[in-house]
Amino acid sequence: MYYDCIKTDLSAAILVGRSTRMGRDKALLVFNRQTFIEHLIRELSGCREVFITSVIKTEYPDYGLKTVPDEIPDFGPVEGIRQALRHAETENVFICAYDMPFVRREMIEYLAEFVCVDEDAWVFRDEERVHPMCGIYSRRVLPAAQQMIAEDRHRLMELLSRVRTKYVDISAGGFGMEVLSNINTPEEYAELREKEEFR
């Protein structure tokens, strides 16, 4: 079982947003004959649990996943991460956005190797930027997230600056930058479909 390959006990939370720029639910977009959410469920299935946190009241009954709604609508991913940490069965939670069709289980295994008590979050970065929506967060992040919400501060990068964060270079693990790509617009989705692999 793939779970045995992960060196730390992880839950996994898929953060679902409003898909405003796409104009339809990005979780249900199809790439390589599966929806984005089906792909993520498969790649995250080795974690102890996989569940959804969502800014909207939505369910995905076909996939049998627990869905945790944001308590503060439209606050942003800080609230999604707060809910994920509150409801997870484990101390550490792998967080990813629902519009990342290239996330791979090997990435999670690699990132999990860095988990230790000396830090609170472990987040991928590439040559261009940090990717806070693809990382592992411990429950130790929860007080900082709650404080930011109390202060009405929304920026996810600020959350990372308030806790002990380790930034992990994606290329050092042998992965290309494309694995951290997310799809936001119909134009980006059209470009993605051009790369589709038909077998």
Side-chain angles (χ1 to χ4, degrees), residues 101-153:
F102 297 112
V103 166
R104 292 164 49 190
R105 62 182 61 186
E106 294 84 1
M107 295 165 54
I108 307 167
E109 291 178 346
Y110 174 63
L111 192 61
E113 292 178 1
F114 294 90
V115 171
C116 67
V117 296
D118 296 329
E119 290 131 4
D120 307 313
W122 303 265
V123 173
F124 278 125
R125 66 182 175 190
D126 58 27
E127 297 172 1
E128 298 178 353
R129 65 187 182 93
V130 173
H131 293 265
M133 292 294 285
C134 193
I136 296 173
Y137 292 77
S138 79
R139 281 209 183 101
R140 296 186 295 275
V141 174
L142 195 51
Q146 293 177 157
Q147 184 63 32
M148 282 186 63
I149 289 171
E151 296 171 359
D152 196 31
R153 301 187 69 85

Side-chain angles (χ1 to χ4, degrees), residues 11-138:
S11 296
I14 303 168
L15 271 60
V16 172
R18 290 191 179 278
S19 304
T20 303
R21 283 186 285 172
M22 183 63 66
R24 53 178 166 149
D25 188 350
K26 289 190 285 187
L28 302 179
L29 296 177
V30 175
F31 179 60
N32 285 339
R33 301 182 180 177
Q34 61 183 345
T35 63
F36 284 13
I37 199 165
E38 286 171 338
H39 167 79
L40 289 172
I41 292 168
R42 185 188 68 192
E43 297 301 316
L44 301 177
S45 62
C47 297
R48 182 192 292 193
E49 60 172 341
V50 181
F51 65 98
I52 291 170
T53 70
S54 180
V55 68
I56 55 178
K57 291 183 178 179
T58 185
E59 301 284 346
Y60 298 97
D62 292 343
Y63 307 112
L65 296 185
K66 174 178 72 175
T67 300
V68 177
D70 287 0
E71 290 183 348
I72 306 173
D74 298 319
F75 193 91
V78 172
E79 167 65 358
I81 290 173
R82 182 176 79 102
Q83 294 302 329
L85 295 176
R86 288 182 61 209
H87 290 88
E89 296 177 358
T90 61
E91 173 70 18
N92 301 304
V93 185
F94 178 77
I95 302 283
C96 70
Y98 69 134
D99 57 0
M100 301 183 72
F102 297 112
V103 166
R104 292 164 49 190
R105 62 182 61 186
E106 294 84 1
M107 295 165 54
I108 307 167
E109 291 178 346
Y110 174 63
L111 192 61
E113 292 178 1
F114 294 90
V115 171
C116 67
V117 296
D118 296 329
E119 290 131 4
D120 307 313
W122 303 265
V123 173
F124 278 125
R125 66 182 175 190
D126 58 27
E127 297 172 1
E128 298 178 353
R129 65 187 182 93
V130 173
H131 293 265
M133 292 294 285
C134 193
I136 296 173
Y137 292 77
S138 79

